[in-house]
Amino acid sequence: MTRIVAPSILSADFGNLERDIKMLDRSVAEWVHIDIMDGVFVPNISLGFPVMKAVRKATSKVLDVHLMIVEPERYAKRFVEEGADYVVFHHEACADPRAAIAEIKAAGAKAGVSIKPGTPVEAVLDYLSELDLVLVMSVEPGFGGQSFMPHSLDKVRALRKVIDEKGYNCLIEIDGGISAKNAREVYDAGVNVAVAGSSVFNAESPQQAIIDILNA
Ligand code: DX5
Ligand code: ZN
């Protein structure tokens, strides 16, 4: 299975954001992960449309937008218009996931759903066939730099089994506490896309940290 790393810019230096995005643009990372937090779904506020627009301008990488907001269907289309390639909303925040998926796809992007550590994979099985991506949170969403929760790998394995058995065209992504130390077991469990924030941006060489995750 091909391995993808999606560095999360939540841990970037926002005073030098263009520099950091250009650095990622020159790295081997294929994706860039953008965390959108509304201060309601999660107890933190990150960034919004103007910053996202600036990121889109600075890189041609795949933009993976992780919406940690209530009522994501209200803004999903706008994120596509601002240049998201993937729009990933939270199952727990959305009353009608099927409608949100359809709207994201109609706007021209790939659709993903994310589940918090306490949400079982069974919650999304009903509409898994319609998804391009499922994101398993391996920390409580809201902040970078937290410790990886090992039980998330059981959820990844369960999803991998269903996706493979049914032949669905759906990527598995994991987010929270990923570094070169645990990347191997994460990919081996069936993850396609590993998000990494602090382990990349706190490294002496972020570009090397990305390579180390891919080669773990
Ligand atoms: C947390 C965000 C993550 C965060 C990951 O809610 O969704 O994308 O940036 O940060 P690390 O890799 O430091 O756990
Ligand atoms: Zn994220």
Side-chain angles (χ1 to χ4, degrees), residues 14-88:
F14 280 75
N16 291 285
L17 189 58
E18 188 181 20
R19 180 200 66 191
D20 281 5
I21 302 297
K22 295 277 186 213
M23 176 277 293
L24 293 179
D25 202 58
R26 293 188 305 271
S27 79
V28 298
E30 292 177 50
W31 290 22
V32 172
H33 183 86
I34 302 182
D35 291 299
I36 308 289
M37 304 178 183
D38 66 356
V40 180
F41 182 70
V42 288
N44 196 9
I45 297 176
S46 55
L47 56 95
F49 299 121
V51 177
M52 202 196 132
K53 190 175 267 172
V55 175
R56 178 71 289 175
K57 256 174 87 178
T59 181
S60 55
K61 302 278 181 179
V62 171
L63 282 194
D64 169 34
V65 178
H66 177 193
L67 301 182
M68 284 161 275
I69 64 175
V70 296
E71 297 179 53
E73 58 276 18
R74 289 177 65 184
Y75 293 103
K77 193 169 162 224
R78 176 80 191 274
F79 282 100
V80 181
E81 289 163 3
E82 299 294 353
D85 295 293
Y86 281 79
V87 176
V88 183

Side-chain angles (χ1 to χ4, degrees), residues 7-208:
S8 166
I9 64 161
L10 191 62
S11 293
D13 176 356
F14 280 75
N16 291 285
L17 189 58
E18 188 181 20
R19 180 200 66 191
D20 281 5
I21 302 297
K22 295 277 186 213
M23 176 277 293
L24 293 179
D25 202 58
R26 293 188 305 271
S27 79
V28 298
E30 292 177 50
W31 290 22
V32 172
H33 183 86
I34 302 182
D35 291 299
I36 308 289
M37 304 178 183
D38 66 356
V40 180
F41 182 70
V42 288
N44 196 9
I45 297 176
S46 55
L47 56 95
F49 299 121
V51 177
M52 202 196 132
K53 190 175 267 172
V55 175
R56 178 71 289 175
K57 256 174 87 178
T59 181
S60 55
K61 302 278 181 179
V62 171
L63 282 194
D64 169 34
V65 178
H66 177 193
L67 301 182
M68 284 161 275
I69 64 175
V70 296
E71 297 179 53
E73 58 276 18
R74 289 177 65 184
Y75 293 103
K77 193 169 162 224
R78 176 80 191 274
F79 282 100
V80 181
E81 289 163 3
E82 299 294 353
D85 295 293
Y86 281 79
V87 176
V88 183
F89 61 89
H90 266 269
H91 171 84
E92 304 85 357
C94 188
D96 189 349
R98 280 201 168 85
I101 293 165
E103 178 154 355
I104 293 164
K105 288 184 175 178
K110 307 263 195 197
V113 78
S114 180
I115 49 173
K116 298 208 284 183
T119 302
V121 298
E122 286 73 21
V124 304
L125 294 184
D126 269 3
Y127 60 93
L128 193 59
S129 64
E130 293 161 45
L131 289 166
D132 298 299
L133 179 146
V134 56
L135 167 55
V136 175
M137 286 306 297
S138 42
V139 298
E140 286 299 338
F143 300 92
Q146 304 179 77
S147 300
F148 180 75
M149 295 171 149
H151 87 283
S152 51
L153 290 184
D154 296 330
K155 294 165 79 174
V156 168
R157 287 186 202 100
L159 284 166
R160 172 54 57 209
K161 195 159 175 275
V162 177
I163 289 169
D164 287 353
E165 277 174 9
K166 305 258 188 194
Y168 293 156
N169 196 8
C170 177
L171 297 173
I172 301 178
E173 182 174 44
I174 198 160
D175 183 4
I178 307 296
S179 70
K181 287 200 183 82
N182 57 12
R184 189 198 180 104
E185 47 165 354
V186 157
Y187 286 120
D188 282 352
V191 163
N192 305 99
V193 185
V195 176
S198 52
S199 70
V200 167
F201 283 98
N202 295 346
E204 205 174 303
S205 166
Q207 292 181 333
Q208 186 59 45

